[in-house]
Amino acid sequence: MCDLLLIAPCTGNTLAKLANGITDTPVTMAAKSHLRINRPVLLTIATNDGLGASAQNIGKLLNTKNVYFVPFGQDDHENKPKSLVADFSLIDECVRHTLSGKQYQPVII
C-alpha cells in the first residue's frame, strides 16, 4: 500500500461511486481499500455537474473520514454554471497537508 491515494481527475461518476460505496473500477476499489485501513484519499475534482447532481456526493465525501480535497471552484461560471474543477497547481501542497491529516484550506475557492 502507498501512504496516500491521489485521484486526479476525480470525475462526477467517480465521486458518486465513492460517496455511495460502489467499487466497480480499479480506482474505486483502490479508494475503498485505502479507506478501510485508515489511509488518506485525496480527490481532485473535475466535473461538469459539481453544482448539480454531484453536489450531494461532494457533501457526503467532505464528511468522510480520511477523504481530502484539493481546493476547487467554478471554472467557467457563465458557460458552464454547474461545473467544478480543482486547482491542480495545489496538488503538491495538498499532498503534504493530507499526509499530516489536515485538509488544505480553503476547500472551496
Side-chain angles (χ1 to χ4, degrees):
M1 296 297 289
C2 49
D3 295 328
L4 173 142
L5 177 65
L6 170 66
I7 301 176
C10 185
T11 65
N13 186 50
T14 300
L15 284 168
K17 290 178 179 188
L18 293 173
N20 293 289
I22 299 169
T23 54
D24 63 349
T25 67
V27 171
T28 57
M29 183 60 77
K32 178 182 177 181
S33 175
H34 243 59
L35 293 171
R36 183 176 48 237
I37 60 170
N38 293 315
R39 296 246 173 105
V41 175
L42 179 60
L43 305 179
T44 309
I45 294 177
T47 177
N48 287 324
D49 198 30
L51 294 175
S54 294
Q56 68 183 17
N57 297 321
I58 293 169
K60 282 183 185 179
L61 293 167
L62 282 167
N63 288 300
T64 301
K65 184 179 179 181
N66 292 319
V67 173
Y68 299 86
F69 286 82
V70 173
F72 57 88
Q74 289 180 283
D75 59 334
D76 184 353
H77 66 277
E78 290 185 21
N79 296 315
K80 299 188 295 181
K82 294 184 179 184
S83 181
L84 292 175
V85 67
D87 183 345
F88 283 73
S89 70
L90 296 174
I91 289 176
D92 287 343
E93 188 66 23
C94 290
V95 165
R96 286 190 283 281
H97 275 73
T98 299
L99 289 172
S100 297
K102 299 175 186 172
Q103 172 61 57
Y104 187 91
Q105 297 293 325
V107 178
I108 300 173
I109 50 176

